[in-house]
Amino acid sequence: METTELRKLFYSRLSELYRLNCISALLGWDQQVYMPPKAAQGRAEQLESISIITHQKIVDPDFAKVVDELYEKRDSLSIEDQVNARETKRVLDKQRKLPDDFVSEMAQACALGYSEWVKARPANDFAAIKPSLERIVALVKRKADLLGYDENPYDALIDDFEPGAKASTVKPLLMNLAEKLAEIIPPITKRFKDLPRLQGHYDQKSQYELARRVVKDLGFDFETGRIDTTAHPFMTTLGRADIRITTRYDESDFLMSLYSTIHETGHALYEMGLDREWAGTPMGEPVSLGIHESQSRMWENLVGRSREYAKYLSGIIKEYIPQDSNLHDPDKLWQYVNRVEPSLVRTEADEVTYSQHIVIRMLLELAVVNNELSVTDLPDAWNELYEKYLGIKPTDYKNGVMQDVHWYSGSIGYFPTYALGNLYNAMMMEVAKRDIPDLSQQIERGEFSKLLAWLRENVHKHGMRYHGPELIRNITGKDLSAEPFVNYLKNKFLD
Ligand code: CO
């Protein structure tokens, strides 16, 4: 077939798939934000129909032929077309290795696992969920075998979340991080564990107005985005100019809500910065979860928990929460958002201890996937690693091995991306600070547009053109390492 004809067929199918994905995302967004409870069954059926249509359009042999042929001709294509053909083929090759009955068995196991976890976690009942987790682990191992791998079955799994990542690169990287963190956590904890906790009452309306102002200043565009309320905050893209974030409110601690909103805003700014012309193609898509997380943590931690940002934010808080004069003092505000202390729950962890939670999960995933650890022994192994890396031990399952939904809903190999995000963003920030010499002063004044433009130029606009490690090498001239992140923590907390 002529290249022109191939391109036409290729892009028209990608665009169809994109529309279907957006429809599915809209149904999912509404499910979490507005849908009345009794609509759940009907909504699940609607989502299933869309996913069946989508799957058929992806595995359609005619489309596969188009993708393969276009990929064969890649040397004669533009860079953008090359990237789109390469990445589409990468995903398609994986899909082709998974038989239909396996895909549907996996989907059912994940859906069931999730709904059982929702019930079993509050009841602290690991026994109840064990069979379902065993089923998921068995399926995930089978998936790795079906997909194939060179060295470690884990490679086949992590690749879904961080393209190109392998156990042989990620494990040494994160173990090195863990070792360095183990040295600095005790002295930092000693100095920062007794910082004050927020106490007061903050009505939801002022919190909402404050959050809107803060994210608008960061660069969130309300012409192409919205903020709504859910139990678990998230970000989702519903179309080429439709990015949604959600938040939750705690009337006794508005900083918790505010910082989770800043985190989701970081995700949204990435999606808003993707090349809209290429929306729905790999050139207009985020490259990986690790890079995505680097963007959210960049704004939440590297910017949001800095001394400079506290100067800006304390002034804004004064306007929206005039009664709490403690929070109008930048030094006190900084203290409220920078307490450091090992804790049991990952999502409540500070930026210093957070990555240890991830290392623990990665080690357990590796052990389980490589048949070195059974699901039965998982809770004890979990507790031992918490003792080893954080010096504390869970006394129940719900704040231990059952705290995260990931494994129970089938996501094994996902966790490392959170820690990779920390490593990526510290490396990016070193270069951004060199390129924008007065960045600190800009942040103090509440000016974030130069940093955002820098991220757009160096990260966002490339879509999936470069995978994470290559992207970071292009930006920094160096390979991904733990050093810059650890140096950042040392400078911030031990200087
Ligand atoms: Co995130």
Side-chain angles (χ1 to χ4, degrees), residues 263-264 267 293 296 418:
H263 179 97
E264 298 308 327
H267 284 303
E293 201 63 15
S296 55
Y418 292 118

Side-chain angles (χ1 to χ4, degrees), residues 6-48:
L6 282 172
R7 283 186 82 251
K8 210 178 117 201
L9 292 170
F10 176 69
Y11 283 113
S12 88
R13 179 59 56 92
L14 285 191
S15 132
E16 243 181 309
L17 288 167
Y18 183 54
R19 276 175 260 153
L20 287 165
N21 286 336
C22 290
I23 292 167
S24 170
L26 173 58
L27 292 173
W29 172 85
D30 176 75
Q31 188 172 41
Q32 296 200 53
V33 178
Y34 280 126
M35 189 188 80
K38 287 189 176 166
Q41 179 61 30
R43 181 57 48 88
E45 288 163 14
Q46 294 156 10
L47 281 162
E48 199 196 344

Side-chain angles (χ1 to χ4, degrees), residues 352-421:
V352 183
T353 58
Y354 186 92
S355 303
Q356 300 297 58
H357 293 260
I358 300 308
V359 169
I360 292 167
R361 287 157 177 76
M362 175 194 67
L363 289 172
L364 294 170
E365 287 183 337
L366 278 163
V368 165
V369 167
N370 286 289
N371 301 319
E372 291 154 9
L373 179 68
S374 69
V375 170
T376 308
D377 295 331
L378 193 54
D380 284 344
W382 176 286
N383 291 356
E384 273 165 35
L385 288 176
Y386 263 80
E387 179 92 70
K388 179 171 176 197
Y389 285 99
L390 287 162
I392 46 174
K393 215 169 178 170
T395 51
D396 56 17
Y397 296 125
K398 66 179 173 208
N399 294 304
V401 71
M402 289 175 82
Q403 67 179 265
D404 296 303
V405 67
H406 302 61
W407 294 341
Y408 305 94
S409 62
S411 294
I412 296 181
Y414 184 124
F415 280 120
T417 66
Y418 292 118
L420 292 176

Side-chain angles (χ1 to χ4, degrees), residues 284-485:
E285 270 168 33
V287 54
S288 71
L289 290 187
I291 295 293
H292 229 306
E293 201 63 15
S294 79
Q295 299 305 289
S296 55
R297 281 158 199 269
M298 167 79 79
W299 294 103
E300 181 196 354
N301 294 332
L302 303 198
V303 174
R305 293 183 206 274
S306 66
R307 293 268 177 204
E308 301 85 82
Y309 193 78
K311 287 192 186 150
Y312 148 80
L313 185 61
S314 54
I316 304 295
I317 291 176
K318 207 172 190 168
E319 280 177 47
Y320 290 84
I321 305 179
Q323 73 277 16
D324 204 333
S325 58
N326 256 340
L327 297 161
H328 308 155
D329 173 347
D331 291 332
K332 284 192 182 141
L333 178 63
W334 187 90
Q335 295 188 354
Y336 280 123
V337 296
N338 281 295
R339 201 154 42 78
V340 177
E341 188 178 17
S343 59
L344 292 174
V345 178
R346 175 185 63 86
T347 55
E348 291 163 12
D350 55 77
E351 60 177 326
V352 183
T353 58
Y354 186 92
S355 303
Q356 300 297 58
H357 293 260
I358 300 308
V359 169
I360 292 167
R361 287 157 177 76
M362 175 194 67
L363 289 172
L364 294 170
E365 287 183 337
L366 278 163
V368 165
V369 167
N370 286 289
N371 301 319
E372 291 154 9
L373 179 68
S374 69
V375 170
T376 308
D377 295 331
L378 193 54
D380 284 344
W382 176 286
N383 291 356
E384 273 165 35
L385 288 176
Y386 263 80
E387 179 92 70
K388 179 171 176 197
Y389 285 99
L390 287 162
I392 46 174
K393 215 169 178 170
T395 51
D396 56 17
Y397 296 125
K398 66 179 173 208
N399 294 304
V401 71
M402 289 175 82
Q403 67 179 265
D404 296 303
V405 67
H406 302 61
W407 294 341
Y408 305 94
S409 62
S411 294
I412 296 181
Y414 184 124
F415 280 120
T417 66
Y418 292 118
L420 292 176
N422 286 334
L423 305 190
Y424 284 134
N425 71 11
M427 291 186 77
M428 288 175 194
M429 195 53 145
E430 282 189 349
V431 180
K433 279 191 167 157
R434 236 180 289 147
D435 291 350
I436 314 169
D438 66 334
L439 183 59
S440 295
Q441 291 87 325
Q442 291 183 19
I443 293 173
E444 258 182 60
R445 294 194 299 264
E447 291 168 24
F448 308 104
S449 59
K450 292 256 166 57
L451 178 59
L452 182 56
W454 188 94
L455 291 169
R456 296 217 151 135
E457 184 59 29
N458 287 283
V459 182
H460 305 176
K461 79 165 192 193
H462 298 298
M464 296 194 78
R465 181 162 173 184
Y466 312 107
H467 289 172
E470 196 185 355
L471 181 70
I472 211 69
R473 215 175 300 126
N474 292 345
I475 296 172
T476 65
K478 293 179 198 147
D479 284 327
L480 185 60
S481 80
E483 207 104 47
F485 178 60

Side-chain angles (χ1 to χ4, degrees), residues 125-403:
D125 193 351
F126 184 72
I129 202 161
K130 212 187 97 183
S132 158
L133 183 57
E134 281 168 339
R135 186 168 163 224
I136 284 173
V137 166
L139 284 166
V140 158
K141 286 184 199 164
R142 212 168 107 213
K143 183 177 165 185
D145 288 337
L146 288 164
L147 291 174
Y149 51 85
D150 288 337
E151 301 161 36
N152 195 312
Y154 198 63
D155 300 350
L157 305 176
I158 192 172
D159 187 75
D160 277 353
F161 310 105
E162 195 68 22
K166 285 183 184 329
S168 61
T169 51
V170 171
K171 189 183 172 195
L173 189 62
L174 296 192
M175 294 315 288
N176 180 249
L177 172 64
E179 220 172 277
K180 293 190 156 97
L181 289 177
E183 284 168 28
I184 62 171
I185 287 173
I188 296 180
T189 302
K190 213 170 146 204
R191 280 165 67 173
F192 290 92
K193 76 175 166 32
D194 294 324
L195 295 187
R197 284 168 203 266
L198 199 58
Q199 272 177 337
H201 182 86
Y202 309 95
D203 66 274
Q204 196 165 317
K205 191 166 172 285
S206 350
Q207 287 195 44
Y208 173 71
E209 279 158 8
L210 171 69
R212 268 187 80 92
R213 166 65 189 276
V214 165
V215 310
K216 191 166 184 286
D217 285 357
L218 290 176
F220 186 91
D221 173 12
F222 282 91
E223 297 287 310
T224 57
R226 279 182 59 89
I227 306 184
D228 292 276
T229 311
T230 47
H232 302 285
F234 65 95
M235 186 278 317
T236 185
T237 289
L238 307 184
R240 69 177 71 221
D242 192 353
I243 319 292
R244 310 293 178 96
I245 60 174
T246 70
T247 189
R248 67 184 148 158
Y249 298 100
D250 177 343
E251 294 207 322
S252 67
D253 183 355
F254 80 91
L255 288 169
M256 188 223 50
S257 154
L258 184 63
Y259 276 78
S260 125
T261 309
I262 295 173
H263 179 97
E264 298 308 327
T265 298
H267 284 303
L269 291 174
Y270 184 14
E271 300 269 338
M272 285 172 171
L274 293 167
D275 192 340
R276 226 176 268 172
E277 211 183 303
W278 289 107
T281 76
M283 269 307 295
E285 270 168 33
V287 54
S288 71
L289 290 187
I291 295 293
H292 229 306
E293 201 63 15
S294 79
Q295 299 305 289
S296 55
R297 281 158 199 269
M298 167 79 79
W299 294 103
E300 181 196 354
N301 294 332
L302 303 198
V303 174
R305 293 183 206 274
S306 66
R307 293 268 177 204
E308 301 85 82
Y309 193 78
K311 287 192 186 150
Y312 148 80
L313 185 61
S314 54
I316 304 295
I317 291 176
K318 207 172 190 168
E319 280 177 47
Y320 290 84
I321 305 179
Q323 73 277 16
D324 204 333
S325 58
N326 256 340
L327 297 161
H328 308 155
D329 173 347
D331 291 332
K332 284 192 182 141
L333 178 63
W334 187 90
Q335 295 188 354
Y336 280 123
V337 296
N338 281 295
R339 201 154 42 78
V340 177
E341 188 178 17
S343 59
L344 292 174
V345 178
R346 175 185 63 86
T347 55
E348 291 163 12
D350 55 77
E351 60 177 326
V352 183
T353 58
Y354 186 92
S355 303
Q356 300 297 58
H357 293 260
I358 300 308
V359 169
I360 292 167
R361 287 157 177 76
M362 175 194 67
L363 289 172
L364 294 170
E365 287 183 337
L366 278 163
V368 165
V369 167
N370 286 289
N371 301 319
E372 291 154 9
L373 179 68
S374 69
V375 170
T376 308
D377 295 331
L378 193 54
D380 284 344
W382 176 286
N383 291 356
E384 273 165 35
L385 288 176
Y386 263 80
E387 179 92 70
K388 179 171 176 197
Y389 285 99
L390 287 162
I392 46 174
K393 215 169 178 170
T395 51
D396 56 17
Y397 296 125
K398 66 179 173 208
N399 294 304
V401 71
M402 289 175 82
Q403 67 179 265

